[in-house]
Amino acid sequence: MSASAPEPVDLGLKHLEGQSFEAVTTWLESALRAQVPLPTIVPDEMPEAPILRLERGLSEITRQDLRNACRTLVRRYVRQPQDDDAYIGALLRLAKGLNLTDLVTDLHTLAANHAVLSALSQSQVKSILFTLLDLRASLPLAFWKSLAASLPDALSLIAFSGLLRHGYEPALQVLHALPDKQTIADSLYIILKQHAKLLNPTEVAKMTAVARQFLSSCKPQIQQALQEWVDENPAVVESRPAAKISFSRLLLDTALAAYATKIGGQPYNLRPVSARLVPQTLPCAA
Amino acid sequence: MFTAALNSLTADHKTAVETQLSAWDAGTCPKWRRVAVNIREEVALQPRDFTALLTDFATELVSAAVSPESGWVKACRQNQFRGAAMPPPLPTHLGRAVPIGNYAAIISDSPSVTLTPDVCEQMLRDIHLAGGTPTPREARILQQARLGRYVMWAAFDATHPNQSPFDYIPRTTDAVRTALGLGECRETVTFILMTYQSTGTGAPDPLHRPTIGEAANYCWYRPNPDAAAHHGLTEPLSPNPLGLAPVPEVVHREINGDTLTFPLYLAV
């Protein structure tokens, strides 16, 4: 096959310009359900990706409509949480991509309702909680503690991630309850590794020291992952003495005087070390 | 092939399809013009499969329940994996280029994974920064996660079928998008270049020659004009300063990363 001249790139989302809010909302829902064609980079790209890539090219009013359409669809779902897993995943990833932090309140309300949450598919529970985590939502400690006690085994690590936002101690306290599974242990290690990168060495050392105390209470696979992380992070930070600076006023004055001579300007007048403390003589008013 | 399939439709259906293709031809959207060309140029479908695809499309058009474009996508979904299965010997190594954010979302979405998309993306970047070879824990996560969704498109190197196709394409976004003909891709996209084996537990089986059924509205697909070929071919984008050759491509069903090989590369 021979290369041909590139055709103009797709028309993007420009067809949304000038549409009513209802039309934008209807289109967005169909797009996220993969029912309308989208300009994807690769054929199996997720539907929210091209929307996030192209929405910046729209007029401000259409962008606002798109954001509000996303809000509307999320709120519709929160009111009646029954829908297709793939659609909900795409919708919530779009909300995160658009940084719709105000939806945190809605999603938190949904997630805090145990009766409703437990009736949802595992995929949708993951989507909701992942969105709250990736939107950096500041949710109450009690919420994550309650999830730690109620989420099914396979999802229990999500509560650990939420607790970690409140500090390592409440998170480490639930480690003993994590199921003894390789997949959970592997993910735990990744979460700890990435969390440690956000901390300064002293904080990491403190966290490591506390983590050691929880090792014995963990199940074998979890214990191994935690041990691995502990071993990779020093528990003690070497205290470094403050660097000593040797300073010679005489050498500085000599260098400045030599420089003044070299450039041929005003001669440099040596001053006493405490010169800056000596009150300057103010010129007298005429 | 298209003409034969079209002629086998009922008069109403034939008119509906012809009218819609003409509308795309005459329309302002180059993307749909190209889709119409692809439909006419497809030679990888058996006559009965082509007829079935066009019948489903015509049914959507006649019912007018959705737009013609959505109707085409819907019809295509009902007619996937109709291209011939690739006979042995299969290329042992297949490759996929996926935008990093998309792969992170796919990993995160996998049932066995409880890491958020952001954490998954950071993990992929960490692997890259560490030289591309994951730690045993990272490798297990990647192997248990999905590699793609629904229909997976994969490339291989016809001359070196036992090696990654990305061993022969410069690992830059520009080169990858050019070679694979990814026309929607901007230069700022970061790709994960993954390689996996076509044999062993969890390997894709079978590999199919791609058709318009999988491409649907993806206008950068080009039907391979060789009806006897066992695979598709990409059309490198112009201007192609490196003279990159078309890359053979196949499609297969969704699989996990059991047969992933490392290192994992990023193209930026």
Side-chain angles (χ1 to χ4, degrees):
Chain A
M1 297 175 82
S2 60
S4 61
E7 290 178 331
V9 182
D10 72 287
L11 299 178
L13 307 181
K14 294 285 183 193
H15 64 278
L16 295 176
E17 299 282 10
Q19 298 267 353
S20 68
F21 174 68
E22 288 71 26
V24 172
T25 308
T26 304
W27 174 85
L28 183 62
E29 182 177 354
S30 300
L32 294 173
R33 290 186 191 282
Q35 290 168 347
V36 297
L38 289 166
T40 54
I41 290 179
V42 289
D44 58 347
E45 195 175 24
M46 294 192 170
E48 75 280 4
I51 298 173
L52 287 169
R53 216 166 27 243
L54 297 170
E55 63 95 21
R56 289 187 190 93
L58 297 173
S59 66
E60 196 46 49
I61 194 164
T62 309
R63 290 184 75 187
Q64 201 55 46
D65 274 355
L66 207 53
R67 281 169 157 66
N68 285 333
C70 185
R71 283 189 179 94
T72 302
L73 294 174
V74 171
R75 286 181 179 147
R76 199 179 286 172
Y77 169 65
V78 168
R79 279 198 304 275
Q80 194 157 5
Q82 285 177 337
D83 220 312
D84 175 57
D85 289 351
Y87 165 68
I88 295 306
L91 174 63
L92 295 180
R93 283 191 302 271
L94 179 70
K96 189 266 165 184
L98 293 172
N99 199 28
L100 302 181
T101 49
D102 52 311
L103 288 174
V104 162
T105 324
D106 305 73
L107 293 174
H108 172 241
T109 306
L110 175 61
N113 187 333
H114 285 206
V116 174
L117 199 71
S118 58
L120 295 178
S121 70
Q122 200 157 297
S123 166
Q124 289 186 37
V125 174
K126 266 174 71 172
S127 293
I128 294 164
L129 299 177
F130 282 178
T131 307
L132 288 170
L133 285 172
D134 277 351
L135 276 173
R136 311 270 174 239
S138 174
L139 298 176
L141 179 65
F143 166 72
W144 293 114
K145 277 188 174 173
S146 147
L147 280 183
S150 62
L151 280 176
D153 276 2
L155 303 182
S156 50
L157 200 56
I158 302 177
F160 176 84
S161 297
L163 288 167
L164 209 47
R165 301 282 167 86
H166 285 272
Y168 50 83
E169 290 205 35
L172 293 172
Q173 280 167 10
V174 302
L175 280 182
H176 71 278
L178 290 180
D180 193 25
K181 287 184 181 167
Q182 181 78 69
T183 52
I184 303 281
D186 290 340
S187 295
L188 170 69
Y189 174 81
I190 300 295
I191 291 167
L192 290 170
K193 185 178 160 187
Q194 291 191 11
H195 185 74
K197 283 185 184 172
L198 304 173
L199 305 177
N200 67 41
T202 309
E203 287 172 318
V204 174
K206 282 182 189 168
M207 184 175 167
T208 309
V210 176
R212 281 181 199 282
Q213 297 166 19
F214 287 94
L215 274 168
S216 60
S217 63
C218 296
K219 297 185 180 82
Q221 302 260 20
I222 303 299
Q223 187 183 61
Q224 202 179 334
L226 186 61
Q227 182 72 60
E228 207 174 308
W229 179 79
V230 164
D231 292 346
E232 286 171 10
N233 290 280
V236 179
V237 179
E238 286 180 25
S239 58
R240 294 178 194 161
K244 285 180 182 169
I245 301 167
S246 80
F247 176 76
S248 162
R249 179 60 196 254
L250 181 63
L251 283 175
L252 177 66
D253 280 339
T254 310
L256 288 171
Y259 180 69
T261 309
K262 190 178 173 185
I263 63 172
Q266 236 183 344
Y268 178 76
N269 295 318
L270 297 181
R271 286 184 172 192
V273 173
S274 57
R276 65 196 174 93
L277 301 175
V278 178
Q280 298 288 311
T281 311
L282 296 172
C284 295
Chain B
M1 282 190 181
F2 165 75
T3 309
L6 190 69
N7 288 334
S8 66
L9 301 181
T10 63
D12 285 355
H13 281 178
K14 184 180 175 185
T15 306
V17 171
E18 280 181 318
T19 306
Q20 187 53 50
L21 294 190
S22 299
W24 283 341
D25 288 337
T28 54
C29 181
K31 175 175 164 178
W32 286 102
R33 277 206 299 275
R34 183 65 226 191
V35 170
V37 171
N38 285 349
I39 294 171
R40 292 195 184 93
E41 290 185 352
E42 184 58 82
V43 293
L45 286 168
Q46 293 296 312
R48 69 169 187 284
D49 292 327
F50 213 146
T51 302
L53 172 60
L54 293 184
T55 302
D56 288 342
F57 180 38
T59 306
E60 291 293 333
L61 291 171
V62 171
S63 75
V66 291
S67 70
E69 289 77 18
S70 297
W72 171 244
V73 172
K74 202 171 163 190
C76 287
R77 289 223 181 98
Q78 294 160 4
N79 291 273
Q80 291 172 336
F81 302 112
R82 302 292 164 89
M86 201 174 183
L90 299 177
T92 61
H93 285 68
L94 302 170
R96 274 168 61 75
V98 184
I100 187 167
N102 197 53
Y103 186 38
I106 289 170
I107 296 170
S108 172
D109 205 31
S110 301
S112 64
V113 179
T114 41
L115 299 172
T116 73
D118 282 1
V119 172
C120 291
E121 182 165 339
Q122 186 57 50
M123 179 182 75
L124 292 170
R125 291 185 187 278
D126 288 345
I127 292 170
H128 171 70
L129 290 172
T133 302
T135 65
R137 291 191 186 279
E138 290 164 339
R140 272 197 298 268
I141 290 172
L142 295 177
Q143 286 161 343
Q144 287 161 5
R146 292 187 187 116
L147 270 192
R149 303 188 325 140
Y150 312 132
V151 177
M152 290 178 56
W153 292 69
F156 64 93
D157 189 296
T159 318
H160 308 93
N162 299 329
Q163 288 175 261
S164 167
F166 300 117
D167 288 348
Y168 299 92
I169 300 172
R171 296 186 194 110
T172 64
T173 296
D174 199 36
V176 169
R177 69 185 279 278
T178 299
L180 300 184
L182 307 176
E184 306 285 350
C185 175
R186 296 175 184 179
E187 288 172 11
T188 50
V189 169
T190 299
F191 280 115
I192 285 281
L193 305 179
M194 57 175 90
T195 302
Y196 54 105
Q197 294 183 330
S198 65
T199 54
T201 309
D205 182 33
L207 304 178
H208 288 269
R209 174 176 172 163
T211 74
I212 46 173
E214 291 83 36
N217 67 311
Y218 187 73
C219 69
W220 301 96
Y221 165 72
R222 298 290 181 271
N224 183 346
D226 179 0
H230 298 303
H231 56 75
L233 277 178
T234 67
E235 185 178 75
L237 303 176
S238 291
N240 194 3
L242 299 174
L244 297 166
V247 181
E249 58 184 358
V250 289
V251 290
H252 61 80
R253 293 180 194 279
E254 191 177 285
I255 56 164
N256 283 350
D258 300 88
T259 64
L260 262 179
T261 66
F262 303 110
L264 207 62
Y265 293 108
L266 281 195
V268 290

